Amino acid sequence: MLAHLRLRAMPMRLDPLVSLFIASIVLLIGAQINRKIRLLAHYNIPDPVTGGLLFAGIASTAWAATGFEVKIDQTVKPELLLMFFAGAGLCADLRMLKRGGKALAIFLAVLLPFVVLQNLVGIVMAKALDLHPIFGLVAGSITLVGGHGTGAAYAERFAEVNNLQAVMELSMTVATVGLIVGGIITGPIAQYLIHRYKLRSDADAEATEEEAKHAAPISTVGVIGALAAILAAVVAGHWLAERFSGGAITIPTFLWCMILGVSIRNLIPFTGFHLDD
């Protein structure tokens, strides 16, 4: 009976708009679950991880039982990723680095050896499996630190230059596993450290008038201004990536978008214009 159902089941192909809608619903469901289940909220499990794992579980069960498969259209994913990185850049106020001070320097000094270790372990494992060392880098900091955007950008470049097969699939798999595992593990550990050492943030006490202004209620003009800045960073990022492509050092499009986002965030106040006015 199951075999018969598997043969008759046809994949459901979702167009880009419906795919985006489904992704939004999955995110909202994850947020609601985290708010209803105190354990998830207590350990700061990310909403996308909760919703994504639930959707993946349901889709996998349906496919295993009946052969029914949902095909998510990912046409808009590259542009949405670029908008995400541009938005992340727009959130980077360089004046905040002053607050980090010595603690930030120590954090970066401790972090760097682990980034190097990720790559060393990846290369050693790739060698042991008789694979190209680049596969080890893809399974290392490129995806585990850089995420999906970095992995996709470099995987495409490696596939073109080094003629490596399945490097894109590897990068997406490792980035996804790293995101899920990291989200599940770091929440409980962070919660334990906060309670163990009675940590608290002094950000509210040290907030400046400028930061208080940016914490004002969201306005229509503010949303449109932020969207315009994001789109400007993405458009200019595309142009810069094409302009400097083919060089000895590869700077992926998402990095250009992030750099431009940071530049817009920190330079535009000097013009007297504020995105959230």
Side-chain angles (χ1 to χ4, degrees), residues 11-271:
M12 176 185 291
R13 300 182 181 276
L14 306 179
D15 61 40
L17 187 60
V18 175
S19 297
L20 183 59
F21 170 69
I22 295 298
S24 302
I25 295 300
V26 168
L27 176 60
L28 292 175
I29 291 175
Q32 287 299 315
I33 292 175
N34 281 354
R35 282 154 182 74
K36 295 292 184 181
I37 302 178
R38 293 185 60 184
L39 182 65
L40 298 177
H42 180 75
Y43 287 111
N44 301 307
I45 304 301
D47 297 340
V49 171
T50 302
L53 283 176
L54 177 63
F55 177 81
I58 294 174
S60 298
T61 302
W63 178 83
T66 66
F68 177 77
E69 186 178 1
V70 178
K71 295 286 188 180
I72 303 294
D73 191 299
Q74 302 188 41
T75 304
V76 298
K77 185 182 76 171
E79 298 306 322
L80 292 176
L81 277 173
L82 294 180
M83 292 178 68
F84 166 79
F85 284 113
L90 285 170
C91 294
D93 188 342
L94 296 182
R95 291 172 298 182
M96 295 294 290
L97 293 177
K98 295 180 179 179
R99 286 192 183 179
K102 182 180 178 180
L104 179 60
I106 293 175
F107 172 77
L108 293 176
V110 173
L111 177 64
L112 183 59
F114 287 97
V115 175
V116 175
L117 183 61
Q118 282 182 336
N119 292 326
L120 290 177
V121 172
I123 292 174
V124 170
M125 292 299 297
K127 287 287 189 178
L129 296 172
D130 196 26
L131 298 174
H132 195 289
I134 284 180
F135 283 102
L137 295 177
V138 170
S141 64
I142 289 179
T143 50
L144 296 180
V145 176
H148 291 80
T150 308
Y154 282 102
E156 183 178 359
R157 180 67 172 174
F158 291 149
E160 293 175 357
V161 176
N162 301 94
N163 193 27
L164 298 177
Q165 302 299 317
V167 66
M168 180 64 76
E169 289 79 357
L170 175 65
S171 68
M172 293 298 99
T173 301
V174 175
T176 301
V177 172
L179 178 66
I180 294 174
V181 174
I184 293 174
I185 293 177
T186 56
I189 292 178
Q191 191 69 24
Y192 167 77
L193 292 175
I194 289 173
H195 286 290
R196 174 68 175 79
Y197 295 101
K198 297 180 173 58
L199 302 177
R200 67 183 183 85
S201 173
D202 296 327
D204 293 337
E206 299 176 2
T208 62
E209 292 183 1
E210 182 69 15
E211 290 167 342
K213 177 182 178 181
H214 287 296
I218 298 174
S219 66
T220 302
V221 175
V223 172
I224 298 300
L227 179 61
I230 290 173
L231 294 176
V234 171
V235 172
H238 269 300
W239 182 83
L240 288 171
E242 294 176 1
R243 175 69 177 78
F244 293 100
S245 63
I249 300 177
T250 299
I251 300 180
T253 307
F254 85 89
L255 188 54
W256 284 116
C257 294
M258 181 179 290
I259 292 172
L260 288 168
V262 173
S263 300
I264 293 173
R265 172 69 177 85
N266 291 277
L267 294 179
I268 202 169
F270 292 104
T271 67

